[in-house]
Amino acid sequence: MQSATYTLFRNAILGEQQVVCLYDGRVRELCPHIIGINKRGEEVVLAWQFAGESSGPLPQWRCLKLANVSEARPRSGRWHQGGSHQTTQTCVGDIDLDINVHVRKRR
């Protein structure tokens, strides 16, 4: 059974909506791209963080464990595609939804 946070992020991918949330005590402004389960059985999302707070430079890819996300809410705004992948993503092992495969290719 999916958590409410998982459902929120999944719907944001389907609607190409931004998500604002707290993660590791920081406000994150994200565009989620891939959601599913990691190798440990945890709900995770691979997202492009384009604004908010970060310990490093922005924008950048983030792998978020959804159990550690709080105060998540979708928001309208420009969809941020994200930078090119230099390597294959390892965040999500069992992919439920990938915006580039399941959403954008349908158009």
Side-chain angles (χ1 to χ4, degrees):
M1 182 162 176
Q2 298 171 346
S3 68
T5 303
Y6 187 100
T7 300
L8 183 143
F9 272 86
R10 191 177 196 286
N11 289 338
I13 292 171
L14 289 169
E16 293 186 45
Q17 291 182 299
Q18 299 176 5
V19 174
V20 178
C21 65
L22 286 179
Y23 189 80
D24 289 339
R26 294 186 169 107
V27 175
R28 313 290 182 151
E29 297 179 39
L30 312 157
C31 286
H33 286 249
I34 302 173
I35 193 166
I37 306 297
N38 68 10
K39 292 178 183 177
R40 294 185 174 148
E42 301 165 309
E43 296 177 335
V44 290
V45 67
L46 180 64
W48 182 250
Q49 183 180 349
F50 60 89
E53 300 169 305
S54 174
S55 60
L58 292 176
Q60 66 175 289
W61 289 105
R62 294 275 184 205
C63 181
L64 306 178
K65 292 180 185 178
L66 295 181
N68 297 339
V69 170
S70 63
E71 300 180 33
R73 63 180 172 82
R75 152 176 107 178
S76 298
R78 183 174 74 83
W79 181 259
H80 297 268
Q81 198 49 22
S84 64
H85 294 279
Q86 299 299 318
T87 59
T88 302
Q89 70 86 18
T90 58
C91 174
V92 185
D94 183 10
I95 295 172
D96 172 29
L97 185 64
D98 180 332
I99 192 163
N100 294 310
V101 175
H102 302 105
V103 178
R104 296 202 160 189
K105 285 200 173 180
R106 289 185 184 166
R107 294 182 185 170

